[in-house]
Amino acid sequence: MNKTVIKVLYWATTGLIAVGNLFGAYAYTTQSPQVLEGLAHLGYPGYLALILGPAKGLSALALLYPKFPRLKEWAYAGITFNVLGAGLSHIFAKDPNYPTPFIFLALLAVSYITWRKLEAEKA
């Protein structure tokens, strides 16, 4: 794959993830009714939104800010844990929307793999 294709894939997937996490950060931090209903449906307390909301916002910023690659690695890891937990929670709750987090996870994997390729080319 040429460098231009890798950059386009990286920015397309990273942009989707960052925007999704920023919207999620807002919805969770403001404790929107949809978020609270969703958490209750999965068996989680509403205050979890106040923990996940800021984490989602900070992870989006870490993905977009290029100066701290180790922080970006941790953001990828945190988002992975969050998305895996969400997907499994939906499965355990027998929620028919369980594929959505795994689609997000696939986008995250493409973002991570292309970022690593771009980083390797810098070295």
Side-chain angles (χ1 to χ4, degrees), residues 74-88 105 108:
W74 279 94
Y76 276 115
I79 295 168
T80 299
F81 297 140
N82 181 42
V83 173
L84 279 174
L88 292 173
L105 185 62
L108 186 68

Side-chain angles (χ1 to χ4, degrees), residues 23-39 46 49-50:
F23 278 120
Y26 176 78
Y28 277 62
T29 304
T30 61
Q31 295 190 309
S32 80
Q34 294 87 353
V35 167
L36 295 178
E37 288 169 18
L39 288 172
L50 295 175

Side-chain angles (χ1 to χ4, degrees), residues 11 13 18 46-47 60 64 97 105:
W11 282 110
T13 55
Y47 66 79
L64 295 173
N97 293 322
L105 185 62

